[in-house]
Amino acid sequence: MAQPEQVRGTNEAAQPGAFTAGCFTNQAGSRDYKLYLPSGYHGQALPLVVMLHGCTQNPDDFAAGTNMNRLAEEQRFCVLYPAQPVTANRSKCWNWFKAEDQQREGGEPAILAGMTRQVIDTYGLDASRVYVAGLSAGGAMATTLAMTYPDLYAAVGVHSGLPHGVARSLPDALGAMQGGTGPMANASSARVSASVSRVPAIVFHGDRDTTVHPSNADRVAAQYAASRAAGESANGRQDSAGKTVERGQVPNGYAYTQTSHQDADGRSCLEQWVIHGAGHAWSGGDARGSYTDPKGPDAAKEMLRFFQSHAKASP
């Protein structure tokens, strides 16, 4: 259970069908955000998707590039876009590579989790259907949130991101982004993986990404898969059981490979999508936003499809 915290939030009167600005503050710090409530919202307990932008981006840019607000309107869920200011990182990157921003109840994870909880409480949203997704640095921070707050997020989407705990400084971060040669995570990775094993994950990465080396997608997937594989072994199951590989092609676009791991109920609990020929960009995104590539499979739609099959059990 989260520790009690003093929080303060300011926002305009959020209206259904509007993209509203707000600010959240707790003991760990303060961040602005944008919130989209679909026009079909009338106070009912809708799902919430938290979207973490990449470096140099902002909520408006990320919303335009991913089309998530349009999808929220069609599928009726709410979307929260926290904003990273230049005062926290001069490139507006989430600080996934700093030790103080890799822990529960501290740094940026505490701010983002607190913001998530406040939005859930303010609008009466469904706390069992809360999801987080991000691109690049936002993808790395999405994994950190899943690692540190597995009780809050029901599933995670990581696009062109990095694993939790592979860096403790900016030089570390640059090395990890280039592929690195060290272990997949720090010495506490086994403990971290165990704590996040119940958070399903969907991972996207272009195999021509020159900003975040594609090997990071394998490392991200490995963190989520570690405890699942250990559980299979302990239960006498084959590691390859419940795994499927599908290959496809976007019309006039990229080919892709989708690897899916199913749980005991046959639900996909870990998916990894490799987009062949794609660089550092949101797959299937809209050119109105930065770092998008419309020639790939629609990552936003696939993440939502994945999220919809996962919800937290009632306490």
Side-chain angles (χ1 to χ4, degrees):
M1 180 177 295
Q3 297 297 314
E5 59 181 358
Q6 297 297 316
V7 303
R8 177 173 58 86
T10 59
N11 59 276
E12 305 166 12
Q15 299 295 323
F19 204 20
T20 306
C23 181
F24 171 82
T25 302
N26 66 3
Q27 75 280 3
S30 178
R31 292 294 185 277
D32 291 337
Y33 64 81
K34 295 290 288 285
L35 176 67
Y36 185 79
L37 301 177
S39 58
Y41 169 74
H42 304 293
Q44 68 272 48
L46 296 181
L48 175 66
V49 177
V50 180
M51 294 288 287
L52 300 176
H53 64 73
C55 300
T56 75
Q57 295 182 313
N58 59 44
D60 293 275
D61 178 24
F62 200 38
T66 60
N67 275 318
M68 198 60 80
N69 290 356
R70 177 178 60 78
L71 293 168
E73 190 68 20
E74 294 173 359
Q75 300 184 29
R76 197 169 296 179
F77 58 91
C78 302
V79 196
L80 172 64
Y81 300 84
Q84 180 74 315
V86 292
T87 52
N89 182 291
R90 66 179 184 180
S91 297
K92 297 191 289 186
C93 309
W94 298 100
N95 291 306
W96 59 272
F97 51 87
K98 292 184 176 180
E100 60 267 32
D101 294 306
Q102 296 174 353
Q103 57 188 323
R104 185 180 176 95
E105 305 304 343
E108 290 177 359
I111 299 170
L112 295 168
M115 181 189 294
T116 301
R117 291 193 187 104
Q118 187 187 67
V119 169
I120 294 168
D121 293 344
T122 299
Y123 297 97
L125 304 183
D126 186 348
S128 72
R129 295 185 293 165
V130 180
Y131 312 99
V132 60
L135 172 67
S136 192
M141 185 55 72
T143 274
T144 289
L145 285 178
M147 294 281 181
T148 53
Y149 291 92
D151 52 323
L152 180 58
Y153 300 100
V156 57
V158 183
H159 201 313
S160 309
L162 298 101
H164 173 71
V166 293
R168 286 289 189 268
S169 66
L170 185 55
D172 284 353
L174 296 174
M177 290 169 64
Q178 293 167 6
T181 57
M184 285 188 292
N186 62 4
S188 63
S189 62
R191 176 183 57 79
V192 170
S193 294
S195 71
V196 80
S197 62
R198 62 189 185 276
V199 179
I202 180 169
V203 180
F204 277 80
H205 216 115
D207 66 4
R208 299 290 180 88
D209 191 334
T210 58
T211 301
V212 177
H213 194 278
S215 63
N216 283 288
D218 295 330
R219 295 175 178 184
V220 170
Q223 279 195 330
Y224 288 101
S227 293
R228 184 192 60 81
E232 288 180 352
S233 178
N235 292 326
R237 296 168 56 186
Q238 297 294 321
D239 287 346
S240 59
K243 175 181 174 181
T244 59
V245 179
E246 296 183 9
R247 294 175 175 83
Q249 175 83 44
V250 175
N252 301 313
Y254 299 125
Y256 59 86
T257 301
Q258 175 198 2
T259 303
S260 178
H261 301 265
Q262 288 79 37
D263 62 19
D265 297 322
R267 295 180 305 169
S268 179
C269 57
L270 172 63
E271 291 186 14
Q272 184 176 357
W273 291 65
V274 178
I275 301 93
H276 303 296
H280 193 68
W282 186 273
S283 181
D286 192 304
R288 293 177 302 161
S290 62
Y291 298 103
T292 60
D293 192 333
K295 294 189 294 183
D298 194 326
K301 285 186 176 179
E302 295 296 341
M303 287 182 181
L304 291 172
R305 183 262 312 157
F306 182 84
F307 292 164
Q308 286 165 4
S309 65
H310 296 283
K312 290 289 184 187
S314 299

